Amino acid sequence: MSADQERQDTKNSTAVDIDVSGIGDEACRRIAEATDLSELDALASEFLDKSSRLSQLKASMKDLEPEERKLLGARMNQTRGAIEAELAQRRSTLETEVIQARLSAESLDLTEYLGQTTAGHAHVVTRTWQELEDVFCGMGYNVETGPEVETDWFNFEALNLPPSHPARSMWDTLYLDTSDLDGVSDGQLVLRTHTSPVQIRTMLRAVRDGSGPPIYSVCPGRVYRRDTADATHLPVFHQIEGLVVDRGITMGDLAGTIETFVKQYFGSDMTSRLRPSYFPFTEPSAEFDISTPDGGWLEVGGCGMVHPNVLRSGGLDPNEWSGFAFGFGIDRLAKIRYGIKDLRAFMTNDIRFLEQF
Ligand code: PHE
């Protein structure tokens, strides 16, 4: 090979080289500048397709010396790889941008500007509930809870109300449809009609975990009755139950506890009285009333000495333990305290009513 010839070859191969890296540089620059995915697709075919400059160069390589062809081939593969990598990177950046754009376009502004900020507060029934808990906690009671869906056993039977006991009609009961539940026969599940089933749960739990008796507890909670809402009834309302089990508890303790509670909650000039009544789960039983400023009395709730059968249902020996229980409506108490005429006002969510408390 003459020196001339060699110079010529080197020149050729350098020219091709420059071309290859020029194509690579141009491709990478334009890919980096691409602003959307379709532009990127167009660039991919421009630089990598059969008709691309790289492919054409490759086709012209057949005229080169084997050594040179090898060198140039390696260069071309490298360039191709670089273009592909650049394409992939840009694609993922653009795809992320598309998703981001879509997310911000579809996002909902859920902040509401009210012009002025008004701080809300707990509903008057919730506040009454909390105040009652506070009063009883201050007297050394703890707070118990129970489920709103109860079994017939807890809601009635364990409370000395066997099936078909006539006093069951004291509560207009809502029964759950259990036809889909395996092993639960009809009429076995109820929406609890009072918080008294928590008496049983509290005793059983105390016996089981060895924490009592003595038991001094209150249970506030939601209860249900098949009633039509009117000024003095709600089908869903709230009660608070009290249960004390200890040695030597008497009716005097019950009367004193009610009187203390009434003075704490309504004020020291208020007083209470018990009137004989009947509940299957207490014996003797009473209703308790509070005095009104005009010298009258308002009925608040029921109470009495825990019936021996109820102590037994709770796993306790009535010869060793005695106790009292009481229960009353939280909504009704708030109604009395704030002079509300119609219980339904608690449920209608009229802000003008709620703001007053
Ligand atoms: N559970 C009774 C009711 O709902 C109230 C009550 C509770 C009476 C505890 C006596 C003892 O009417």
Side-chain angles (χ1 to χ4, degrees):
M1 192 189 284
S2 74
D4 256 354
Q5 172 86 50
E6 202 181 329
R7 220 174 294 123
Q8 185 61 37
D9 277 358
T10 317
K11 211 175 136 211
N12 273 349
S13 120
T14 312
V16 169
D17 250 11
I18 289 171
D19 221 3
V20 171
S21 56
I23 293 171
D25 290 348
E26 183 194 336
C28 290
R29 182 177 48 75
R30 287 178 55 200
I31 289 166
E33 285 167 1
T35 52
D36 61 45
L37 291 167
S38 59
E39 198 181 336
L40 210 60
D41 288 339
L43 287 169
S45 67
E46 179 180 339
F47 286 99
L48 300 175
D49 271 6
K50 283 217 173 64
S51 56
S52 66
R53 275 179 281 163
L54 270 187
S55 303
Q56 279 164 8
L57 266 177
K58 194 167 184 176
S60 66
M61 271 176 21
K62 60 181 185 309
D63 305 328
L64 297 176
E65 297 292 314
E67 263 311 290
E68 278 183 332
R69 205 187 306 149
K70 205 170 143 196
L71 241 154
L72 189 62
R75 262 218 126 78
M76 286 182 47
N77 283 342
Q78 222 176 31
T79 304
R80 229 188 146 77
I83 294 175
E84 275 163 359
E86 189 72 20
L87 274 169
Q89 203 204 329
R90 188 71 191 143
R91 181 172 301 277
S92 105
T93 309
L94 287 176
E95 275 168 359
T96 312
E97 276 174 25
V98 168
I99 292 169
Q100 291 297 344
R102 187 153 157 216
L103 281 179
S104 57
E106 289 177 4
S107 75
L108 298 174
D109 182 1
L110 298 177
T111 54
E112 184 183 11
Y113 179 63
L114 290 173
Q116 78 190 55
T117 45
T118 43
H121 61 72
H123 190 280
V124 55
V125 171
T126 309
R127 300 242 310 260
T128 307
W129 169 325
Q130 289 164 348
E131 285 161 15
L132 290 169
E133 276 186 11
D134 285 352
V135 168
F136 284 105
C137 286
M139 290 163 73
Y141 287 57
N142 59 323
V143 178
E144 293 283 344
T145 55
E148 290 173 21
V149 173
E150 267 297 8
T151 60
D152 179 88
W153 190 80
F154 276 110
N155 195 77
F156 290 125
E157 213 169 326
L159 290 165
N160 198 32
L161 277 143
S164 75
H165 190 290
R168 283 189 176 214
S169 62
M170 289 168 74
W171 296 272
D172 291 304
T173 310
L174 289 160
Y175 289 88
L176 269 78
D177 179 358
T178 56
S179 50
D180 285 346
L181 293 177
D182 275 351
V184 184
S185 47
D186 239 19
Q188 285 309 295
L189 283 185
V190 302
L191 291 176
R192 66 178 178 193
T193 56
H194 49 181
T195 42
S196 298
V198 188
Q199 289 186 32
I200 307 295
R201 292 184 176 277
T202 303
M203 287 186 272
L204 288 176
R205 185 155 49 220
V207 169
R208 193 173 55 233
D209 65 21
S211 63
I215 293 167
Y216 289 78
S217 67
V218 282
C219 164
R222 195 179 289 137
V223 299
Y224 303 79
R225 294 201 191 158
R226 215 189 55 201
D227 261 335
T228 305
D230 63 25
T232 54
H233 296 87
L234 292 174
V236 182
F237 60 103
H238 305 83
Q239 283 192 334
I240 186 164
E241 189 86 9
L243 174 69
V244 166
V245 179
D246 207 337
R247 284 178 221 274
I249 295 291
T250 68
M251 198 83 181
D253 297 310
L254 169 59
T257 302
I258 301 260
E259 180 71 4
T260 308
F261 152 69
V262 166
K263 287 193 168 358
Q264 287 272 324
Y265 184 71
F266 286 99
S268 54
D269 48 345
M270 301 292 273
T271 187
S272 63
R273 72 172 185 190
L274 301 189
R275 266 180 305 114
S277 185
Y278 171 76
F279 295 100
F281 29 87
T282 44
E283 183 58 37
S285 301
E287 314 262 352
F288 65 95
D289 303 338
I290 58 161
S291 57
T292 58
D294 61 7
W297 295 94
L298 273 175
E299 183 188 319
V300 174
C303 60
M305 302 305 291
V306 180
H307 194 288
N309 286 346
V310 174
L311 289 169
R312 282 189 203 102
S313 301
L316 296 174
D317 178 359
N319 293 318
E320 189 178 356
W321 303 103
S322 59
F324 64 74
F326 56 83
F328 56 87
I330 298 177
D331 319 67
R332 212 181 124 65
L333 201 75
K335 178 177 183 284
I336 295 171
R337 171 135 177 202
Y338 298 106
I340 294 157
K341 296 263 164 336
D342 192 325
L343 275 180
R344 287 171 295 190
F346 288 142
M347 306 301 254
T348 46
N349 277 343
D350 184 334
I351 198 87
R352 292 163 304 177
F353 169 78
L354 295 173
E355 266 173 356
Q356 300 175 87
F357 308 99

PDB file of all heavy atoms in Angstrom, residues 5 12 40 86 132-133 157 175 187 200-201 241 248 260 273 277 279 281 289 322 338-339:
ATOM      1  N   GLN A   5      -1.896   6.175  -0.712  1.00  0.00           N
ATOM      2  CA  GLN A   5      -3.098   5.366  -0.507  1.00  0.00           C
ATOM      3  C   GLN A   5      -3.478   5.312   0.991  1.00  0.00           C
ATOM      4  O   GLN A   5      -4.628   5.498   1.384  1.00  0.00           O
ATOM      5  CB  GLN A   5      -2.820   3.943  -1.016  1.00  0.00           C
ATOM      6  CG  GLN A   5      -3.893   2.940  -0.706  1.00  0.00           C
ATOM      7  CD  GLN A   5      -4.986   2.951  -1.743  1.00  0.00           C
ATOM      8  OE1 GLN A   5      -4.688   2.883  -2.955  1.00  0.00           O
ATOM      9  NE2 GLN A   5      -6.218   3.085  -1.317  1.00  0.00           N
ATOM     10  N   ASN A  12     -10.350   8.830   4.938  1.00  0.00           N
ATOM     11  CA  ASN A  12     -11.701   8.279   4.815  1.00  0.00           C
ATOM     12  C   ASN A  12     -12.264   7.833   6.143  1.00  0.00           C
ATOM     13  O   ASN A  12     -13.361   8.181   6.549  1.00  0.00           O
ATOM     14  CB  ASN A  12     -11.686   7.059   3.876  1.00  0.00           C
ATOM     15  CG  ASN A  12     -11.855   7.525   2.441  1.00  0.00           C
ATOM     16  OD1 ASN A  12     -12.179   8.692   2.217  1.00  0.00           O
ATOM     17  ND2 ASN A  12     -11.600   6.624   1.497  1.00  0.00           N
ATOM     18  N   LEU A  40     -40.329  12.244  20.306  1.00  0.00           N
ATOM     19  CA  LEU A  40     -39.318  11.249  20.637  1.00  0.00           C
ATOM     20  C   LEU A  40     -39.406  10.034  19.708  1.00  0.00           C
ATOM     21  O   LEU A  40     -38.387   9.509  19.243  1.00  0.00           O
ATOM     22  CB  LEU A  40     -39.524  10.816  22.094  1.00  0.00           C
ATOM     23  CG  LEU A  40     -38.285  10.384  22.854  1.00  0.00           C
ATOM     24  CD1 LEU A  40     -37.270  11.509  22.924  1.00  0.00           C
ATOM     25  CD2 LEU A  40     -38.658   9.922  24.243  1.00  0.00           C
ATOM     26  N   GLU A  86     -30.130   7.244  25.615  1.00  0.00           N
ATOM     27  CA  GLU A  86     -30.642   8.607  25.724  1.00  0.00           C
ATOM     28  C   GLU A  86     -32.160   8.635  25.508  1.00  0.00           C
ATOM     29  O   GLU A  86     -32.894   9.313  26.222  1.00  0.00           O
ATOM     30  CB  GLU A  86     -29.928   9.490  24.675  1.00  0.00           C
ATOM     31  CG  GLU A  86     -30.198  10.964  24.805  1.00  0.00           C
ATOM     32  CD  GLU A  86     -29.509  11.619  26.007  1.00  0.00           C
ATOM     33  OE1 GLU A  86     -28.540  11.016  26.516  1.00  0.00           O
ATOM     34  OE2 GLU A  86     -29.965  12.695  26.437  1.00  0.00           O
ATOM     35  N   LEU A 132     -71.093  14.083  82.044  1.00  0.00           N
ATOM     36  CA  LEU A 132     -71.564  13.017  82.936  1.00  0.00           C
ATOM     37  C   LEU A 132     -70.425  12.070  83.292  1.00  0.00           C
ATOM     38  O   LEU A 132     -70.265  11.677  84.451  1.00  0.00           O
ATOM     39  CB  LEU A 132     -72.713  12.242  82.279  1.00  0.00           C
ATOM     40  CG  LEU A 132     -74.027  13.019  82.157  1.00  0.00           C
ATOM     41  CD1 LEU A 132     -75.012  12.274  81.269  1.00  0.00           C
ATOM     42  CD2 LEU A 132     -74.623  13.260  83.541  1.00  0.00           C
ATOM     43  N   GLU A 133     -69.630  11.718  82.272  1.00  0.00           N
ATOM     44  CA  GLU A 133     -68.459  10.878  82.550  1.00  0.00           C
ATOM     45  C   GLU A 133     -67.573  11.554  83.588  1.00  0.00           C
ATOM     46  O   GLU A 133     -67.087  10.916  84.523  1.00  0.00           O
ATOM     47  CB  GLU A 133     -67.645  10.656  81.272  1.00  0.00           C
ATOM     48  CG  GLU A 133     -68.155   9.520  80.417  1.00  0.00           C
ATOM     49  CD  GLU A 133     -67.230   9.226  79.237  1.00  0.00           C
ATOM     50  OE1 GLU A 133     -66.097   9.755  79.204  1.00  0.00           O
ATOM     51  OE2 GLU A 133     -67.642   8.467  78.347  1.00  0.00           O
ATOM     52  N   GLU A 157     -82.202 -11.724  78.611  1.00  0.00           N
ATOM     53  CA  GLU A 157     -82.256 -12.924  79.450  1.00  0.00           C
ATOM     54  C   GLU A 157     -81.375 -12.831  80.694  1.00  0.00           C
ATOM     55  O   GLU A 157     -81.823 -13.140  81.802  1.00  0.00           O
ATOM     56  CB  GLU A 157     -81.875 -14.145  78.615  1.00  0.00           C
ATOM     57  CG  GLU A 157     -82.630 -15.365  79.084  1.00  0.00           C
ATOM     58  CD  GLU A 157     -82.500 -16.539  78.150  1.00  0.00           C
ATOM     59  OE1 GLU A 157     -82.416 -16.327  76.917  1.00  0.00           O
ATOM     60  OE2 GLU A 157     -82.466 -17.661  78.667  1.00  0.00           O
ATOM     61  N   TYR A 175     -85.208  -5.952  66.064  1.00  0.00           N
ATOM     62  CA  TYR A 175     -84.480  -7.213  65.872  1.00  0.00           C
ATOM     63  C   TYR A 175     -83.720  -7.186  64.555  1.00  0.00           C
ATOM     64  O   TYR A 175     -84.194  -6.604  63.574  1.00  0.00           O
ATOM     65  CB  TYR A 175     -85.458  -8.385  65.870  1.00  0.00           C
ATOM     66  CG  TYR A 175     -86.032  -8.637  67.240  1.00  0.00           C
ATOM     67  CD1 TYR A 175     -87.177  -7.973  67.671  1.00  0.00           C
ATOM     68  CD2 TYR A 175     -85.400  -9.507  68.127  1.00  0.00           C
ATOM     69  CE1 TYR A 175     -87.693  -8.171  68.941  1.00  0.00           C
ATOM     70  CE2 TYR A 175     -85.907  -9.710  69.402  1.00  0.00           C
ATOM     71  CZ  TYR A 175     -87.051  -9.044  69.804  1.00  0.00           C
ATOM     72  OH  TYR A 175     -87.540  -9.236  71.066  1.00  0.00           O
ATOM     73  N   GLY A 187     -84.358 -13.637  65.803  1.00  0.00           N
ATOM     74  CA  GLY A 187     -84.694 -13.000  67.069  1.00  0.00           C
ATOM     75  C   GLY A 187     -83.579 -13.044  68.086  1.00  0.00           C
ATOM     76  O   GLY A 187     -83.760 -12.641  69.227  1.00  0.00           O
ATOM     77  N   ILE A 200     -73.963  -6.709  82.688  1.00  0.00           N
ATOM     78  CA  ILE A 200     -73.554  -8.120  82.640  1.00  0.00           C
ATOM     79  C   ILE A 200     -72.117  -8.236  82.121  1.00  0.00           C
ATOM     80  O   ILE A 200     -71.280  -8.947  82.691  1.00  0.00           O
ATOM     81  CB  ILE A 200     -74.501  -8.931  81.718  1.00  0.00           C
ATOM     82  CG1 ILE A 200     -75.957  -8.722  82.135  1.00  0.00           C
ATOM     83  CG2 ILE A 200     -74.129 -10.410  81.716  1.00  0.00           C
ATOM     84  CD1 ILE A 200     -76.316  -9.249  83.495  1.00  0.00           C
ATOM     85  N   ARG A 201     -71.851  -7.520  81.025  1.00  0.00           N
ATOM     86  CA  ARG A 201     -70.502  -7.575  80.445  1.00  0.00           C
ATOM     87  C   ARG A 201     -69.454  -7.118  81.451  1.00  0.00           C
ATOM     88  O   ARG A 201     -68.373  -7.696  81.543  1.00  0.00           O
ATOM     89  CB  ARG A 201     -70.436  -6.704  79.187  1.00  0.00           C
ATOM     90  CG  ARG A 201     -71.263  -7.273  78.050  1.00  0.00           C
ATOM     91  CD  ARG A 201     -71.119  -6.469  76.777  1.00  0.00           C
ATOM     92  NE  ARG A 201     -71.866  -7.119  75.705  1.00  0.00           N
ATOM     93  CZ  ARG A 201     -71.399  -8.125  74.964  1.00  0.00           C
ATOM     94  NH1 ARG A 201     -70.173  -8.572  75.163  1.00  0.00           N
ATOM     95  NH2 ARG A 201     -72.140  -8.666  74.029  1.00  0.00           N
ATOM     96  N   GLU A 241     -75.445   4.220  82.037  1.00  0.00           N
ATOM     97  CA  GLU A 241     -75.780   3.179  83.007  1.00  0.00           C
ATOM     98  C   GLU A 241     -74.767   3.269  84.140  1.00  0.00           C
ATOM     99  O   GLU A 241     -73.585   3.507  83.886  1.00  0.00           O
ATOM    100  CB  GLU A 241     -75.609   1.816  82.301  1.00  0.00           C
ATOM    101  CG  GLU A 241     -76.109   0.641  83.069  1.00  0.00           C
ATOM    102  CD  GLU A 241     -77.608   0.428  82.827  1.00  0.00           C
ATOM    103  OE1 GLU A 241     -78.181   1.084  81.951  1.00  0.00           O
ATOM    104  OE2 GLU A 241     -78.181  -0.406  83.549  1.00  0.00           O
ATOM    105  N   GLY A 248     -72.020  -5.354 101.040  1.00  0.00           N
ATOM    106  CA  GLY A 248     -72.871  -4.548 101.931  1.00  0.00           C
ATOM    107  C   GLY A 248     -73.430  -3.275 101.320  1.00  0.00           C
ATOM    108  O   GLY A 248     -73.675  -2.295 102.024  1.00  0.00           O
ATOM    109  N   THR A 260     -75.885  12.942  95.144  1.00  0.00           N
ATOM    110  CA  THR A 260     -74.584  13.561  94.891  1.00  0.00           C
ATOM    111  C   THR A 260     -74.444  13.929  93.416  1.00  0.00           C
ATOM    112  O   THR A 260     -74.026  15.042  93.076  1.00  0.00           O
ATOM    113  CB  THR A 260     -73.439  12.591  95.268  1.00  0.00           C
ATOM    114  OG1 THR A 260     -73.666  12.136  96.593  1.00  0.00           O
ATOM    115  CG2 THR A 260     -72.076  13.246  95.159  1.00  0.00           C
ATOM    116  N   ARG A 273     -85.365  12.618  94.339  1.00  0.00           N
ATOM    117  CA  ARG A 273     -86.193  11.706  95.139  1.00  0.00           C
ATOM    118  C   ARG A 273     -86.369  10.393  94.374  1.00  0.00           C
ATOM    119  O   ARG A 273     -86.255  10.359  93.148  1.00  0.00           O
ATOM    120  CB  ARG A 273     -87.557  12.327  95.450  1.00  0.00           C
ATOM    121  CG  ARG A 273     -88.449  12.383  94.251  1.00  0.00           C
ATOM    122  CD  ARG A 273     -89.861  12.812  94.602  1.00  0.00           C
ATOM    123  NE  ARG A 273     -90.706  12.729  93.399  1.00  0.00           N
ATOM    124  CZ  ARG A 273     -91.932  13.209  93.326  1.00  0.00           C
ATOM    125  NH1 ARG A 273     -92.481  13.834  94.354  1.00  0.00           N
ATOM    126  NH2 ARG A 273     -92.629  13.074  92.216  1.00  0.00           N
ATOM    127  N   SER A 277     -90.899   1.682  91.761  1.00  0.00           N
ATOM    128  CA  SER A 277     -91.209   1.347  90.371  1.00  0.00           C
ATOM    129  C   SER A 277     -90.896  -0.123  90.150  1.00  0.00           C
ATOM    130  O   SER A 277     -90.658  -0.860  91.114  1.00  0.00           O
ATOM    131  CB  SER A 277     -90.383   2.242  89.439  1.00  0.00           C
ATOM    132  OG  SER A 277     -90.753   2.014  88.101  1.00  0.00           O
ATOM    133  N   PHE A 279     -88.529  -2.765  87.630  1.00  0.00           N
ATOM    134  CA  PHE A 279     -87.672  -3.237  86.535  1.00  0.00           C
ATOM    135  C   PHE A 279     -87.325  -4.679  86.855  1.00  0.00           C
ATOM    136  O   PHE A 279     -87.071  -5.003  88.025  1.00  0.00           O
ATOM    137  CB  PHE A 279     -86.379  -2.405  86.420  1.00  0.00           C
ATOM    138  CG  PHE A 279     -86.617  -0.974  86.030  1.00  0.00           C
ATOM    139  CD1 PHE A 279     -86.609   0.024  87.001  1.00  0.00           C
ATOM    140  CD2 PHE A 279     -86.854  -0.617  84.705  1.00  0.00           C
ATOM    141  CE1 PHE A 279     -86.848   1.349  86.658  1.00  0.00           C
ATOM    142  CE2 PHE A 279     -87.091   0.706  84.357  1.00  0.00           C
ATOM    143  CZ  PHE A 279     -87.083   1.696  85.332  1.00  0.00           C
ATOM    144  N   PHE A 281     -84.679  -6.289  86.393  1.00  0.00           N
ATOM    145  CA  PHE A 281     -83.284  -6.544  86.785  1.00  0.00           C
ATOM    146  C   PHE A 281     -82.893  -5.889  88.096  1.00  0.00           C
ATOM    147  O   PHE A 281     -81.745  -5.997  88.528  1.00  0.00           O
ATOM    148  CB  PHE A 281     -82.319  -6.129  85.670  1.00  0.00           C
ATOM    149  CG  PHE A 281     -82.827  -5.006  84.803  1.00  0.00           C
ATOM    150  CD1 PHE A 281     -82.611  -3.678  85.167  1.00  0.00           C
ATOM    151  CD2 PHE A 281     -83.537  -5.286  83.642  1.00  0.00           C
ATOM    152  CE1 PHE A 281     -83.086  -2.656  84.367  1.00  0.00           C
ATOM    153  CE2 PHE A 281     -84.021  -4.258  82.847  1.00  0.00           C
ATOM    154  CZ  PHE A 281     -83.804  -2.941  83.199  1.00  0.00           C
ATOM    155  N   ASP A 289     -86.311  11.195  90.364  1.00  0.00           N
ATOM    156  CA  ASP A 289     -86.757  12.491  89.841  1.00  0.00           C
ATOM    157  C   ASP A 289     -85.815  13.572  90.369  1.00  0.00           C
ATOM    158  O   ASP A 289     -85.159  13.386  91.400  1.00  0.00           O
ATOM    159  CB  ASP A 289     -88.173  12.830  90.352  1.00  0.00           C
ATOM    160  CG  ASP A 289     -89.206  11.768  89.993  1.00  0.00           C
ATOM    161  OD1 ASP A 289     -88.964  11.006  89.034  1.00  0.00           O
ATOM    162  OD2 ASP A 289     -90.242  11.696  90.699  1.00  0.00           O
ATOM    163  N   SER A 322     -73.472  -7.439  96.810  1.00  0.00           N
ATOM    164  CA  SER A 322     -74.721  -6.751  96.495  1.00  0.00           C
ATOM    165  C   SER A 322     -74.374  -5.473  95.758  1.00  0.00           C
ATOM    166  O   SER A 322     -73.219  -5.049  95.748  1.00  0.00           O
ATOM    167  CB  SER A 322     -75.520  -6.436  97.769  1.00  0.00           C
ATOM    168  OG  SER A 322     -74.745  -5.631  98.629  1.00  0.00           O
ATOM    169  N   TYR A 338     -81.169  22.249  79.538  1.00  0.00           N
ATOM    170  CA  TYR A 338     -81.156  23.447  78.702  1.00  0.00           C
ATOM    171  C   TYR A 338     -82.558  23.903  78.319  1.00  0.00           C
ATOM    172  O   TYR A 338     -82.707  24.817  77.493  1.00  0.00           O
ATOM    173  CB  TYR A 338     -80.316  23.192  77.444  1.00  0.00           C
ATOM    174  CG  TYR A 338     -78.869  22.881  77.783  1.00  0.00           C
ATOM    175  CD1 TYR A 338     -78.383  21.584  77.684  1.00  0.00           C
ATOM    176  CD2 TYR A 338     -78.020  23.891  78.221  1.00  0.00           C
ATOM    177  CE1 TYR A 338     -77.072  21.286  78.013  1.00  0.00           C
ATOM    178  CE2 TYR A 338     -76.701  23.598  78.558  1.00  0.00           C
ATOM    179  CZ  TYR A 338     -76.240  22.293  78.451  1.00  0.00           C
ATOM    180  OH  TYR A 338     -74.940  22.009  78.784  1.00  0.00           O
ATOM    181  N   GLY A 339     -83.581  23.264  78.895  1.00  0.00           N
ATOM    182  CA  GLY A 339     -84.951  23.688  78.612  1.00  0.00           C
ATOM    183  C   GLY A 339     -85.334  23.554  77.146  1.00  0.00           C
ATOM    184  O   GLY A 339     -86.028  24.396  76.587  1.00  0.00           O
TER     185      GLY A 339
END
